[in-house]
Amino acid sequence: MTATKGAKRQAELLDAAERVLTTRGNANAALRDFAAEAGVRIGHLQHYFPTRADLIRAVLDRALRRSLERLSAVIGMDPDGDGNRTLTRADTERLLEVLLAEQDDPGCVRLFMEIWAIAASDEQIAAVLREFYGKYVGHVAELVACAQPQLPESRRTALAETVMSLIEGASVVRSDIGVGRSAEGHCEIVRTALALIHGA
């Protein structure tokens, strides 16, 4: 099998995993459930993703990569970081709008809710989730560094964690499960995040 076919097959398997997590709400899904959704034998799935943790890691890595690509497209920034760039408030506002739009996507919210539910009873998945959020914090901290290069790394990280908490919390509060989205609330989230990233 060529590398292209292998990559295509992996993408199909990840698509199937996302469907199981977002449409069935099955926090107890096992590899056999993901394999059945993809229409393959469990051994075929395990060729690419030996454990459920490996599969969830790949789903999260792909979600993060997609988000970074959307963000980089907005301001022309390298998705792998561009620490020497100056980030303007206008750049940051555009980035925040992209992030909040992701949080408004019911499929995206459901995917993360289901992975959180799995992580609550599976330490391997919890470790994968911590790894994912560690990467996410690192990317946001790089943006803070572009806006406030004088800050020490520990402060940039703390601000990144706070911005992430604000954005991630928005996904629940603004969802159909929460109170819903309001224009005033949206503006306040953006204003608060801008103040954190750029300094009041």
Side-chain angles (χ1 to χ4, degrees):
M1 182 180 290
T2 67
T4 304
K5 285 184 182 177
K8 183 176 185 276
R9 193 60 181 145
Q10 279 185 311
E12 291 168 352
L13 294 170
L14 293 175
D15 290 342
E18 285 186 15
R19 281 194 304 275
V20 168
L21 292 168
T22 60
T23 62
R24 297 184 191 168
N26 190 351
N28 296 315
L31 278 179
R32 70 180 165 277
D33 300 307
F34 298 120
E37 178 66 25
V40 299
R41 293 187 178 143
I42 195 166
H44 184 79
L45 177 64
Q46 288 179 306
H47 171 75
Y48 294 100
F49 309 106
T51 67
R52 184 168 74 159
D54 294 323
L55 180 60
I56 297 296
R57 179 180 290 107
V59 166
L60 289 171
D61 284 347
R62 184 169 76 161
L64 182 59
R65 182 47 127 186
R66 286 175 173 168
S67 182
L68 291 173
E69 288 170 356
R70 282 189 290 271
L71 293 172
S72 69
V74 169
I75 61 168
M77 198 174 204
D78 179 354
D80 294 318
D82 189 356
N84 296 324
R85 179 190 166 108
T86 300
L87 192 68
T88 68
R89 289 181 77 87
D91 289 337
T92 304
E93 188 167 355
R94 287 193 299 273
L95 294 174
L96 290 168
E97 292 293 345
V98 171
L99 288 172
L100 287 168
E102 289 176 357
Q103 303 303 328
D104 287 339
D105 176 359
C108 182
V109 173
R110 182 87 185 252
L111 175 69
F112 281 89
M113 285 182 169
E114 292 303 325
I115 292 173
W116 270 94
I118 295 169
S121 61
D122 184 326
E123 180 52 36
Q124 287 183 324
I125 304 301
V128 166
L129 202 53
R130 285 190 294 271
E131 177 186 319
F132 166 79
Y133 279 107
K135 291 176 188 175
Y136 189 175
V137 167
H139 287 293
V140 176
E142 287 173 11
L143 293 175
V144 174
C146 290
Q148 299 188 70
Q150 77 286 0
L151 292 179
E153 184 178 347
S154 61
R155 178 76 176 137
R156 292 192 306 257
T157 300
L159 288 173
E161 290 171 354
T162 306
V163 169
M164 283 176 50
S165 297
L166 183 64
I167 300 295
E168 292 284 313
S171 70
V172 176
V173 174
R174 292 159 43 120
S175 73
D176 292 340
I177 298 168
V179 297
R181 178 181 173 176
S182 72
E184 295 83 5
H186 180 87
C187 289
E188 191 62 27
I189 290 167
V190 172
R191 187 196 65 74
T192 302
L194 277 170
L196 289 166
I197 293 170
H198 287 273

